[in-house]
Amino acid sequence: MANNGEDIENNMVTEAPVPTQNQHPEPGVTGVRSRGGGGGAEQNGQAPPQRTPQVVESEEDEDEELTLKYGAKHVIMLFVPVTLCMVVVVATIKSVSFYTQNDGQRLIYTPFPEDTDTIGQRALNSVLNATIMISVIIVMTMVLVLLYKYRCYRVIQGWLFLSSLLLLFFFSFIYLKEVFKTYNVAMDWITLAVIVWNFGVVGMICIHWKGPLRLQQAYLIMISALMALVFIKYLPEWTAWLILAVISVYDLLAVLCPKGPLRILVETAQERNEPIFPALIYSSTMVWLVNMADTGLGHRPMTRKNSTEAPITQVESQSLALGPAPLSPPEDDGGFTPNWMGHQEHQLGPLQSTDETRREIQQLPSARPPVMDDDDEERGVKLGLGDFIFYSMLVGKASAAASGDWNTTLASFVAILIGLCLTLLLLAIFKKALPALPISIFFGLVFYFATDNLVRPFMDQLALHQFYI
Amino acid sequence: MTAAVFFGCAFIAFGPAFSLFIFTIAKDPLRVIILIAGAFFWLVSLLLSSLVWFIATKATNAQDLTLQKNLLIFGSIFSVILQEVFRFAYYRLLRKANEGLAAISEEDGPPLSVREMAYVAGLGFGIMSGAFSMINTLSDSLGPGTVGMFGDSQYYFITSALMTLALTMLHTFWGVVFFEGCERKRWWVIAVVLCVHLMVFSLSLLNPFYVASILPVYAIMLLMAVWAFFSSGGSLHNITLLWTCKTRLKPI
């Protein structure tokens, strides 16, 4: 059973990375923004007649300033869930010994053992393991991109449905079992079945269909933590560190290279004007439906009202736009859930839209519906679940492996948060899909190894003598 | 050793810092980011200084205990100096970032004043410094053991907690005073802060003779608190207003 579980889990685990995607036509908005000076003049059909470029520029600056102001809020909106996920993983590692025990079991994708006689052999084995794992990931990404390109949405949806099913039922059952063992809690099978059943079903509903935002976010955090724990348990030491390093490099290449699979995915989704992966991406606000024009919800009137208001009040109107009952991610509009191994891109929510940008978009001779304006008013930020998993895996490994030292865990945690902050800053500057793994994992790894080998003995000596620097 | 010791020491060491965080920093995202970046800067300074210490210990005889202790003291002094250097570097970074934000802001002035940034940066340094000093000790206090079995002091945990608290608060005050001094181009302030930091470290060398180390450190902390209060715009007038719960003393 355990082996079977591992196989299925590995299948899920090695689904290709997929980037998150904003629903609005970025190039359009960015284009307008940069042309603000000249373009503003010709678009002021309904605005006061004498609009100097200075005023338009100040609106641009205002957009940027609001972007940066909201940028700080977005950073915190990601800090909190990432911190929560890490806290769950570290708390579990420190208390439940199951996840740090070496049972001798391995994933089928890391077949080479690491308890070898020589260091050279161990290094070789870990390199081979990492190579196998990363090639599986690459193959799976290609498969996913191909499936998406040839519109096999049902296959992808079914695949992801099955994976989240396994996570929510099987892995959470194992987790509960181990927690009960650790705390010596006696639980009968009937109660356990009821608990796991309810947990799983509510999770499936929240993630794949509709649910309260906070509950959906909580479930996403929980499944990321579960996945990270599985990785921590089943990946041997050196293999795990190597995989972390290699996957950040892969992430960088896959997202930024013109022929990278993730970039192809993003561009295909943009061409087709579909939102990709509405589930299995952590979103800080609800994802709006693309076909909102059909549903005729309160957004339309609000958009029109916004267009005629002065830019200064746009902030209030946008906060109003977020007020109405959120919509759940669509199930059948071609959005499919990414696999968390994939993840890595995230983007700021649409930037502040001004009268000019809205009019510009409405005048665009493309098939994009004007409903994109409503997406512009949503100021959420999205981060792939794969990012959560690898961040938590790094911190969890740090707390499991580093001689039980808390300083190392704390240092890796701060390093990852700072990496995330820098990534979001770059996102605000470049305004396109970016990989979230490289900077954070690089900082995390550097600080982990440096703290474990250099700072730990230093601080131990200082604590021993009670010197305070 | 017991849960009481754990919780008591944890609250002594981290209580004030935690409440400062909850009441003044948690609501504002920009402050949280500056706090974490401050913690990061302190961490980097510690990393570099422990690298230096590590190289020094590896290059010398590990059996010679007095030499090792002297190397530890040297490493710590270097770490103190590096911490102040990084505080200055962080000041420069924050000023640049603040100018950038102010230039494009529609309000008059930057979103955060230098004083706010000074306080948050100081607290960031303090929290990280306190966490690194105390967390391992705290986690050990949960496990089994006997304190002072070989003739060491019985009061290890509580004195550690008290020193950690003092250091955290001191870092906050140093941050405020340091940034204010840099703002007004009073470079002697930097030298004074460095000297006080070195003095506090030297006092901690007197541990486990706690009377001679903890009491003077707390006295220094109170003096620094007063200095930070006046440096950040406080005055006796403000205190009077606070106690009499008025917004101004005389009606206009």
Side-chain angles (χ1 to χ4, degrees), chain A residues 62-63 65-67 69-70 73 302 306 309-323 352-355 358 377 379, chain B residues 106-107:
Chain A
E62 180 191 304
D63 293 351
E65 182 249 331
L66 279 160
T67 305
K69 251 199 203 159
Y70 282 105
K73 219 168 80 165
M302 219 162 252
N306 283 341
E309 280 172 358
I312 306 159
T313 57
Q314 272 173 0
V315 183
E316 296 130 84
S317 50
Q318 293 203 349
S319 52
L320 282 177
L322 289 174
Q352 174 90 356
S353 61
T354 63
D355 295 350
R358 248 184 248 110
E377 283 156 18
R379 302 191 65 84
Chain B
E106 63 175 4
E107 306 157 346

PDB file of all heavy atoms in Angstrom, chain A residues 62-63 65-67 69-70 73 302 306 309-323 352-355 358 377 379, chain B residues 106-107:
ATOM      1  N   GLU A  62       0.675  58.426 -10.257  1.00  0.00           N
ATOM      2  CA  GLU A  62      -0.265  58.012  -9.231  1.00  0.00           C
ATOM      3  C   GLU A  62      -0.500  56.516  -9.333  1.00  0.00           C
ATOM      4  O   GLU A  62      -0.547  55.809  -8.334  1.00  0.00           O
ATOM      5  CB  GLU A  62      -1.553  58.791  -9.463  1.00  0.00           C
ATOM      6  CG  GLU A  62      -2.655  58.533  -8.520  1.00  0.00           C
ATOM      7  CD  GLU A  62      -3.907  59.169  -9.072  1.00  0.00           C
ATOM      8  OE1 GLU A  62      -3.865  60.380  -9.331  1.00  0.00           O
ATOM      9  OE2 GLU A  62      -4.875  58.453  -9.283  1.00  0.00           O
ATOM     10  N   ASP A  63      -0.585  56.042 -10.581  1.00  0.00           N
ATOM     11  CA  ASP A  63      -0.732  54.597 -10.771  1.00  0.00           C
ATOM     12  C   ASP A  63       0.441  53.875 -10.159  1.00  0.00           C
ATOM     13  O   ASP A  63       0.295  52.894  -9.450  1.00  0.00           O
ATOM     14  CB  ASP A  63      -0.755  54.247 -12.263  1.00  0.00           C
ATOM     15  CG  ASP A  63      -1.988  54.784 -12.945  1.00  0.00           C
ATOM     16  OD1 ASP A  63      -2.864  55.250 -12.207  1.00  0.00           O
ATOM     17  OD2 ASP A  63      -2.052  54.726 -14.166  1.00  0.00           O
ATOM     18  N   GLU A  65       2.499  54.931  -7.903  1.00  0.00           N
ATOM     19  CA  GLU A  65       2.594  55.057  -6.458  1.00  0.00           C
ATOM     20  C   GLU A  65       1.603  54.139  -5.788  1.00  0.00           C
ATOM     21  O   GLU A  65       1.915  53.479  -4.803  1.00  0.00           O
ATOM     22  CB  GLU A  65       2.345  56.511  -6.069  1.00  0.00           C
ATOM     23  CG  GLU A  65       2.476  56.745  -4.584  1.00  0.00           C
ATOM     24  CD  GLU A  65       1.169  57.068  -3.938  1.00  0.00           C
ATOM     25  OE1 GLU A  65       0.306  57.627  -4.611  1.00  0.00           O
ATOM     26  OE2 GLU A  65       1.021  56.756  -2.746  1.00  0.00           O
ATOM     27  N   LEU A  66       0.400  54.080  -6.369  1.00  0.00           N
ATOM     28  CA  LEU A  66      -0.579  53.168  -5.804  1.00  0.00           C
ATOM     29  C   LEU A  66      -0.108  51.739  -5.965  1.00  0.00           C
ATOM     30  O   LEU A  66      -0.337  50.906  -5.107  1.00  0.00           O
ATOM     31  CB  LEU A  66      -1.936  53.365  -6.474  1.00  0.00           C
ATOM     32  CG  LEU A  66      -2.701  54.545  -5.906  1.00  0.00           C
ATOM     33  CD1 LEU A  66      -3.769  55.007  -6.855  1.00  0.00           C
ATOM     34  CD2 LEU A  66      -3.294  54.184  -4.569  1.00  0.00           C
ATOM     35  N   THR A  67       0.575  51.475  -7.105  1.00  0.00           N
ATOM     36  CA  THR A  67       1.119  50.139  -7.294  1.00  0.00           C
ATOM     37  C   THR A  67       2.084  49.792  -6.187  1.00  0.00           C
ATOM     38  O   THR A  67       2.032  48.718  -5.608  1.00  0.00           O
ATOM     39  CB  THR A  67       1.873  50.065  -8.632  1.00  0.00           C
ATOM     40  OG1 THR A  67       1.005  50.482  -9.654  1.00  0.00           O
ATOM     41  CG2 THR A  67       2.359  48.663  -8.880  1.00  0.00           C
ATOM     42  N   LYS A  69       2.329  51.234  -3.260  1.00  0.00           N
ATOM     43  CA  LYS A  69       1.655  51.172  -1.962  1.00  0.00           C
ATOM     44  C   LYS A  69       0.968  49.833  -1.826  1.00  0.00           C
ATOM     45  O   LYS A  69       1.054  49.166  -0.807  1.00  0.00           O
ATOM     46  CB  LYS A  69       0.590  52.269  -1.904  1.00  0.00           C
ATOM     47  CG  LYS A  69       0.911  53.385  -1.004  1.00  0.00           C
ATOM     48  CD  LYS A  69      -0.365  54.143  -0.683  1.00  0.00           C
ATOM     49  CE  LYS A  69      -0.037  55.546  -0.260  1.00  0.00           C
ATOM     50  NZ  LYS A  69      -1.146  56.440  -0.408  1.00  0.00           N
ATOM     51  N   TYR A  70       0.242  49.479  -2.882  1.00  0.00           N
ATOM     52  CA  TYR A  70      -0.414  48.195  -2.821  1.00  0.00           C
ATOM     53  C   TYR A  70       0.602  47.088  -2.903  1.00  0.00           C
ATOM     54  O   TYR A  70       0.357  45.990  -2.467  1.00  0.00           O
ATOM     55  CB  TYR A  70      -1.456  48.076  -3.939  1.00  0.00           C
ATOM     56  CG  TYR A  70      -2.708  48.823  -3.603  1.00  0.00           C
ATOM     57  CD1 TYR A  70      -3.016  50.022  -4.201  1.00  0.00           C
ATOM     58  CD2 TYR A  70      -3.571  48.328  -2.638  1.00  0.00           C
ATOM     59  CE1 TYR A  70      -4.157  50.708  -3.854  1.00  0.00           C
ATOM     60  CE2 TYR A  70      -4.709  49.010  -2.297  1.00  0.00           C
ATOM     61  CZ  TYR A  70      -5.001  50.195  -2.911  1.00  0.00           C
ATOM     62  OH  TYR A  70      -6.135  50.869  -2.571  1.00  0.00           O
ATOM     63  N   LYS A  73       1.280  45.827   0.425  1.00  0.00           N
ATOM     64  CA  LYS A  73       0.184  45.002   0.911  1.00  0.00           C
ATOM     65  C   LYS A  73       0.233  43.605   0.286  1.00  0.00           C
ATOM     66  O   LYS A  73      -0.024  42.607   0.968  1.00  0.00           O
ATOM     67  CB  LYS A  73      -1.147  45.673   0.564  1.00  0.00           C
ATOM     68  CG  LYS A  73      -2.169  45.541   1.667  1.00  0.00           C
ATOM     69  CD  LYS A  73      -3.342  46.436   1.432  1.00  0.00           C
ATOM     70  CE  LYS A  73      -4.273  45.791   0.435  1.00  0.00           C
ATOM     71  NZ  LYS A  73      -5.585  46.396   0.381  1.00  0.00           N
ATOM     72  N   MET A 302     -20.715  48.996 -12.165  1.00  0.00           N
ATOM     73  CA  MET A 302     -19.669  49.613 -11.376  1.00  0.00           C
ATOM     74  C   MET A 302     -18.551  50.093 -12.268  1.00  0.00           C
ATOM     75  O   MET A 302     -17.948  51.115 -12.028  1.00  0.00           O
ATOM     76  CB  MET A 302     -19.127  48.589 -10.387  1.00  0.00           C
ATOM     77  CG  MET A 302     -18.837  49.223  -9.061  1.00  0.00           C
ATOM     78  SD  MET A 302     -18.701  48.009  -7.797  1.00  0.00           S
ATOM     79  CE  MET A 302     -20.184  48.290  -6.936  1.00  0.00           C
ATOM     80  N   ASN A 306     -17.224  53.788 -12.633  1.00  0.00           N
ATOM     81  CA  ASN A 306     -15.832  54.128 -12.408  1.00  0.00           C
ATOM     82  C   ASN A 306     -15.286  54.973 -13.523  1.00  0.00           C
ATOM     83  O   ASN A 306     -14.479  55.845 -13.313  1.00  0.00           O
ATOM     84  CB  ASN A 306     -14.991  52.860 -12.304  1.00  0.00           C
ATOM     85  CG  ASN A 306     -15.184  52.231 -10.940  1.00  0.00           C
ATOM     86  OD1 ASN A 306     -15.631  52.911 -10.039  1.00  0.00           O
ATOM     87  ND2 ASN A 306     -14.882  50.966 -10.815  1.00  0.00           N
ATOM     88  N   GLU A 309     -15.776  58.627 -13.091  1.00  0.00           N
ATOM     89  CA  GLU A 309     -15.325  59.308 -11.888  1.00  0.00           C
ATOM     90  C   GLU A 309     -13.925  59.834 -12.076  1.00  0.00           C
ATOM     91  O   GLU A 309     -13.181  59.373 -12.910  1.00  0.00           O
ATOM     92  CB  GLU A 309     -15.337  58.341 -10.708  1.00  0.00           C
ATOM     93  CG  GLU A 309     -16.712  58.169 -10.154  1.00  0.00           C
ATOM     94  CD  GLU A 309     -16.734  57.065  -9.121  1.00  0.00           C
ATOM     95  OE1 GLU A 309     -15.684  56.457  -8.902  1.00  0.00           O
ATOM     96  OE2 GLU A 309     -17.813  56.813  -8.575  1.00  0.00           O
ATOM     97  N   ALA A 310     -13.575  60.777 -11.256  1.00  0.00           N
ATOM     98  CA  ALA A 310     -12.219  61.309 -11.323  1.00  0.00           C
ATOM     99  C   ALA A 310     -11.253  60.262 -10.818  1.00  0.00           C
ATOM    100  O   ALA A 310     -11.615  59.412 -10.027  1.00  0.00           O
ATOM    101  CB  ALA A 310     -12.137  62.572 -10.472  1.00  0.00           C
ATOM    102  N   PRO A 311     -10.033  60.323 -11.262  1.00  0.00           N
ATOM    103  CA  PRO A 311      -9.059  59.298 -10.882  1.00  0.00           C
ATOM    104  C   PRO A 311      -8.875  59.187  -9.378  1.00  0.00           C
ATOM    105  O   PRO A 311      -8.603  58.134  -8.864  1.00  0.00           O
ATOM    106  CB  PRO A 311      -7.769  59.760 -11.545  1.00  0.00           C
ATOM    107  CG  PRO A 311      -8.203  60.634 -12.656  1.00  0.00           C
ATOM    108  CD  PRO A 311      -9.503  61.257 -12.242  1.00  0.00           C
ATOM    109  N   ILE A 312      -9.043  60.289  -8.679  1.00  0.00           N
ATOM    110  CA  ILE A 312      -8.750  60.249  -7.256  1.00  0.00           C
ATOM    111  C   ILE A 312      -9.667  59.305  -6.526  1.00  0.00           C
ATOM    112  O   ILE A 312      -9.281  58.659  -5.571  1.00  0.00           O
ATOM    113  CB  ILE A 312      -8.897  61.654  -6.636  1.00  0.00           C
ATOM    114  CG1 ILE A 312      -8.044  62.644  -7.421  1.00  0.00           C
ATOM    115  CG2 ILE A 312      -8.488  61.644  -5.189  1.00  0.00           C
ATOM    116  CD1 ILE A 312      -8.481  64.043  -7.245  1.00  0.00           C
ATOM    117  N   THR A 313     -10.889  59.217  -7.002  1.00  0.00           N
ATOM    118  CA  THR A 313     -11.829  58.360  -6.281  1.00  0.00           C
ATOM    119  C   THR A 313     -11.775  56.923  -6.757  1.00  0.00           C
ATOM    120  O   THR A 313     -12.545  56.106  -6.323  1.00  0.00           O
ATOM    121  CB  THR A 313     -13.261  58.871  -6.436  1.00  0.00           C
ATOM    122  OG1 THR A 313     -13.535  58.938  -7.832  1.00  0.00           O
ATOM    123  CG2 THR A 313     -13.405  60.222  -5.810  1.00  0.00           C
ATOM    124  N   GLN A 314     -10.842  56.658  -7.655  1.00  0.00           N
ATOM    125  CA  GLN A 314     -10.790  55.294  -8.161  1.00  0.00           C
ATOM    126  C   GLN A 314     -10.453  54.309  -7.070  1.00  0.00           C
ATOM    127  O   GLN A 314     -10.859  53.174  -7.093  1.00  0.00           O
ATOM    128  CB  GLN A 314      -9.757  55.179  -9.272  1.00  0.00           C
ATOM    129  CG  GLN A 314     -10.339  55.504 -10.608  1.00  0.00           C
ATOM    130  CD  GLN A 314      -9.265  55.536 -11.655  1.00  0.00           C
ATOM    131  OE1 GLN A 314      -8.112  55.320 -11.355  1.00  0.00           O
ATOM    132  NE2 GLN A 314      -9.642  55.824 -12.881  1.00  0.00           N
ATOM    133  N   VAL A 315      -9.665  54.800  -6.118  1.00  0.00           N
ATOM    134  CA  VAL A 315      -9.272  53.889  -5.041  1.00  0.00           C
ATOM    135  C   VAL A 315     -10.499  53.396  -4.307  1.00  0.00           C
ATOM    136  O   VAL A 315     -10.673  52.222  -4.049  1.00  0.00           O
ATOM    137  CB  VAL A 315      -8.327  54.600  -4.061  1.00  0.00           C
ATOM    138  CG1 VAL A 315      -7.876  53.652  -2.998  1.00  0.00           C
ATOM    139  CG2 VAL A 315      -7.148  55.147  -4.825  1.00  0.00           C
ATOM    140  N   GLU A 316     -11.397  54.361  -3.975  1.00  0.00           N
ATOM    141  CA  GLU A 316     -12.587  53.955  -3.243  1.00  0.00           C
ATOM    142  C   GLU A 316     -13.454  53.049  -4.084  1.00  0.00           C
ATOM    143  O   GLU A 316     -13.973  52.050  -3.611  1.00  0.00           O
ATOM    144  CB  GLU A 316     -13.415  55.170  -2.827  1.00  0.00           C
ATOM    145  CG  GLU A 316     -12.693  56.061  -1.856  1.00  0.00           C
ATOM    146  CD  GLU A 316     -12.742  57.487  -2.324  1.00  0.00           C
ATOM    147  OE1 GLU A 316     -13.741  58.157  -2.045  1.00  0.00           O
ATOM    148  OE2 GLU A 316     -11.791  57.919  -2.988  1.00  0.00           O
ATOM    149  N   SER A 317     -13.605  53.416  -5.373  1.00  0.00           N
ATOM    150  CA  SER A 317     -14.483  52.592  -6.202  1.00  0.00           C
ATOM    151  C   SER A 317     -13.907  51.207  -6.367  1.00  0.00           C
ATOM    152  O   SER A 317     -14.619  50.239  -6.469  1.00  0.00           O
ATOM    153  CB  SER A 317     -14.722  53.238  -7.550  1.00  0.00           C
ATOM    154  OG  SER A 317     -13.491  53.610  -8.104  1.00  0.00           O
ATOM    155  N   GLN A 318     -12.571  51.133  -6.365  1.00  0.00           N
ATOM    156  CA  GLN A 318     -11.990  49.808  -6.507  1.00  0.00           C
ATOM    157  C   GLN A 318     -12.178  49.004  -5.261  1.00  0.00           C
ATOM    158  O   GLN A 318     -12.387  47.811  -5.306  1.00  0.00           O
ATOM    159  CB  GLN A 318     -10.521  49.916  -6.851  1.00  0.00           C
ATOM    160  CG  GLN A 318     -10.356  50.516  -8.216  1.00  0.00           C
ATOM    161  CD  GLN A 318      -9.049  50.142  -8.816  1.00  0.00           C
ATOM    162  OE1 GLN A 318      -8.198  49.609  -8.152  1.00  0.00           O
ATOM    163  NE2 GLN A 318      -8.903  50.437 -10.089  1.00  0.00           N
ATOM    164  N   SER A 319     -12.101  49.677  -4.126  1.00  0.00           N
ATOM    165  CA  SER A 319     -12.338  48.915  -2.916  1.00  0.00           C
ATOM    166  C   SER A 319     -13.789  48.491  -2.862  1.00  0.00           C
ATOM    167  O   SER A 319     -14.127  47.448  -2.337  1.00  0.00           O
ATOM    168  CB  SER A 319     -11.965  49.718  -1.681  1.00  0.00           C
ATOM    169  OG  SER A 319     -12.594  50.967  -1.734  1.00  0.00           O
ATOM    170  N   LEU A 320     -14.673  49.289  -3.474  1.00  0.00           N
ATOM    171  CA  LEU A 320     -16.065  48.866  -3.543  1.00  0.00           C
ATOM    172  C   LEU A 320     -16.189  47.658  -4.456  1.00  0.00           C
ATOM    173  O   LEU A 320     -16.957  46.754  -4.207  1.00  0.00           O
ATOM    174  CB  LEU A 320     -16.937  49.991  -4.106  1.00  0.00           C
ATOM    175  CG  LEU A 320     -17.300  51.112  -3.140  1.00  0.00           C
ATOM    176  CD1 LEU A 320     -18.096  52.165  -3.866  1.00  0.00           C
ATOM    177  CD2 LEU A 320     -18.104  50.546  -1.993  1.00  0.00           C
ATOM    178  N   ALA A 321     -15.426  47.693  -5.552  1.00  0.00           N
ATOM    179  CA  ALA A 321     -15.537  46.592  -6.513  1.00  0.00           C
ATOM    180  C   ALA A 321     -15.158  45.279  -5.878  1.00  0.00           C
ATOM    181  O   ALA A 321     -15.625  44.240  -6.279  1.00  0.00           O
ATOM    182  CB  ALA A 321     -14.656  46.868  -7.724  1.00  0.00           C
ATOM    183  N   LEU A 322     -14.302  45.338  -4.878  1.00  0.00           N
ATOM    184  CA  LEU A 322     -13.916  44.098  -4.235  1.00  0.00           C
ATOM    185  C   LEU A 322     -14.958  43.656  -3.234  1.00  0.00           C
ATOM    186  O   LEU A 322     -14.963  42.536  -2.779  1.00  0.00           O
ATOM    187  CB  LEU A 322     -12.584  44.273  -3.507  1.00  0.00           C
ATOM    188  CG  LEU A 322     -11.371  44.423  -4.407  1.00  0.00           C
ATOM    189  CD1 LEU A 322     -10.164  44.735  -3.579  1.00  0.00           C
ATOM    190  CD2 LEU A 322     -11.152  43.165  -5.184  1.00  0.00           C
ATOM    191  N   GLY A 323     -15.844  44.604  -2.888  1.00  0.00           N
ATOM    192  CA  GLY A 323     -16.803  44.331  -1.834  1.00  0.00           C
ATOM    193  C   GLY A 323     -17.818  43.255  -2.151  1.00  0.00           C
ATOM    194  O   GLY A 323     -18.052  42.374  -1.342  1.00  0.00           O
ATOM    195  N   GLN A 352      -3.599  49.493 -11.207  1.00  0.00           N
ATOM    196  CA  GLN A 352      -4.623  50.522 -11.206  1.00  0.00           C
ATOM    197  C   GLN A 352      -4.991  50.902 -12.624  1.00  0.00           C
ATOM    198  O   GLN A 352      -4.140  51.176 -13.437  1.00  0.00           O
ATOM    199  CB  GLN A 352      -4.067  51.742 -10.480  1.00  0.00           C
ATOM    200  CG  GLN A 352      -4.951  52.940 -10.518  1.00  0.00           C
ATOM    201  CD  GLN A 352      -5.897  52.934  -9.340  1.00  0.00           C
ATOM    202  OE1 GLN A 352      -5.899  52.004  -8.579  1.00  0.00           O
ATOM    203  NE2 GLN A 352      -6.681  53.965  -9.221  1.00  0.00           N
ATOM    204  N   SER A 353      -6.256  50.860 -12.904  1.00  0.00           N
ATOM    205  CA  SER A 353      -6.649  51.233 -14.258  1.00  0.00           C
ATOM    206  C   SER A 353      -7.235  52.623 -14.234  1.00  0.00           C
ATOM    207  O   SER A 353      -7.995  52.973 -13.360  1.00  0.00           O
ATOM    208  CB  SER A 353      -7.676  50.242 -14.793  1.00  0.00           C
ATOM    209  OG  SER A 353      -8.808  50.264 -13.992  1.00  0.00           O
ATOM    210  N   THR A 354      -6.843  53.400 -15.153  1.00  0.00           N
ATOM    211  CA  THR A 354      -7.362  54.761 -15.230  1.00  0.00           C
ATOM    212  C   THR A 354      -8.404  54.815 -16.331  1.00  0.00           C
ATOM    213  O   THR A 354      -8.640  53.843 -17.032  1.00  0.00           O
ATOM    214  CB  THR A 354      -6.245  55.740 -15.581  1.00  0.00           C
ATOM    215  OG1 THR A 354      -5.760  55.375 -16.882  1.00  0.00           O
ATOM    216  CG2 THR A 354      -5.108  55.608 -14.602  1.00  0.00           C
ATOM    217  N   ASP A 355      -9.001  55.993 -16.479  1.00  0.00           N
ATOM    218  CA  ASP A 355      -9.960  56.171 -17.564  1.00  0.00           C
ATOM    219  C   ASP A 355      -9.312  55.819 -18.890  1.00  0.00           C
ATOM    220  O   ASP A 355      -9.904  55.158 -19.727  1.00  0.00           O
ATOM    221  CB  ASP A 355     -10.400  57.639 -17.634  1.00  0.00           C
ATOM    222  CG  ASP A 355     -11.163  58.017 -16.385  1.00  0.00           C
ATOM    223  OD1 ASP A 355     -11.488  57.114 -15.597  1.00  0.00           O
ATOM    224  OD2 ASP A 355     -11.415  59.208 -16.205  1.00  0.00           O
ATOM    225  N   ARG A 358      -8.808  52.047 -19.498  1.00  0.00           N
ATOM    226  CA  ARG A 358     -10.062  51.352 -19.762  1.00  0.00           C
ATOM    227  C   ARG A 358     -10.572  51.643 -21.145  1.00  0.00           C
ATOM    228  O   ARG A 358     -10.986  50.762 -21.882  1.00  0.00           O
ATOM    229  CB  ARG A 358     -11.113  51.733 -18.727  1.00  0.00           C
ATOM    230  CG  ARG A 358     -11.439  50.576 -17.844  1.00  0.00           C
ATOM    231  CD  ARG A 358     -12.517  50.896 -16.886  1.00  0.00           C
ATOM    232  NE  ARG A 358     -11.974  50.923 -15.541  1.00  0.00           N
ATOM    233  CZ  ARG A 358     -11.826  52.002 -14.815  1.00  0.00           C
ATOM    234  NH1 ARG A 358     -12.162  53.167 -15.281  1.00  0.00           N
ATOM    235  NH2 ARG A 358     -11.339  51.939 -13.622  1.00  0.00           N
ATOM    236  N   GLU A 377      -9.670  45.659 -11.713  1.00  0.00           N
ATOM    237  CA  GLU A 377      -9.966  46.223 -10.413  1.00  0.00           C
ATOM    238  C   GLU A 377      -9.641  45.270  -9.281  1.00  0.00           C
ATOM    239  O   GLU A 377      -9.716  45.628  -8.130  1.00  0.00           O
ATOM    240  CB  GLU A 377     -11.451  46.595 -10.348  1.00  0.00           C
ATOM    241  CG  GLU A 377     -11.710  47.875 -11.110  1.00  0.00           C
ATOM    242  CD  GLU A 377     -13.136  47.979 -11.572  1.00  0.00           C
ATOM    243  OE1 GLU A 377     -13.976  47.246 -11.027  1.00  0.00           O
ATOM    244  OE2 GLU A 377     -13.401  48.772 -12.460  1.00  0.00           O
ATOM    245  N   ARG A 379      -7.204  43.425  -7.010  1.00  0.00           N
ATOM    246  CA  ARG A 379      -5.822  43.667  -6.716  1.00  0.00           C
ATOM    247  C   ARG A 379      -5.225  42.529  -5.928  1.00  0.00           C
ATOM    248  O   ARG A 379      -4.581  42.715  -4.923  1.00  0.00           O
ATOM    249  CB  ARG A 379      -5.715  44.960  -5.923  1.00  0.00           C
ATOM    250  CG  ARG A 379      -6.318  46.111  -6.684  1.00  0.00           C
ATOM    251  CD  ARG A 379      -5.962  47.374  -5.996  1.00  0.00           C
ATOM    252  NE  ARG A 379      -4.537  47.581  -6.055  1.00  0.00           N
ATOM    253  CZ  ARG A 379      -3.920  48.138  -7.078  1.00  0.00           C
ATOM    254  NH1 ARG A 379      -4.620  48.528  -8.113  1.00  0.00           N
ATOM    255  NH2 ARG A 379      -2.624  48.291  -7.079  1.00  0.00           N
TER     256      ARG A 379
ATOM    257  N   GLU B 106       1.812  60.899  -4.157  1.00  0.00           N
ATOM    258  CA  GLU B 106       0.937  62.045  -4.380  1.00  0.00           C
ATOM    259  C   GLU B 106       0.741  62.845  -3.101  1.00  0.00           C
ATOM    260  O   GLU B 106       0.354  63.980  -3.124  1.00  0.00           O
ATOM    261  CB  GLU B 106      -0.418  61.576  -4.906  1.00  0.00           C
ATOM    262  CG  GLU B 106      -1.162  60.701  -3.917  1.00  0.00           C
ATOM    263  CD  GLU B 106      -2.546  60.359  -4.441  1.00  0.00           C
ATOM    264  OE1 GLU B 106      -2.860  60.744  -5.562  1.00  0.00           O
ATOM    265  OE2 GLU B 106      -3.285  59.711  -3.692  1.00  0.00           O
ATOM    266  N   GLU B 107       1.056  62.206  -1.974  1.00  0.00           N
ATOM    267  CA  GLU B 107       0.964  62.969  -0.727  1.00  0.00           C
ATOM    268  C   GLU B 107       2.231  63.778  -0.563  1.00  0.00           C
ATOM    269  O   GLU B 107       3.230  63.529  -1.216  1.00  0.00           O
ATOM    270  CB  GLU B 107       0.836  62.021   0.464  1.00  0.00           C
ATOM    271  CG  GLU B 107      -0.286  61.048   0.321  1.00  0.00           C
ATOM    272  CD  GLU B 107      -0.033  59.820   1.183  1.00  0.00           C
ATOM    273  OE1 GLU B 107       1.104  59.661   1.646  1.00  0.00           O
ATOM    274  OE2 GLU B 107      -0.969  59.039   1.359  1.00  0.00           O
TER     275      GLU B 107
END
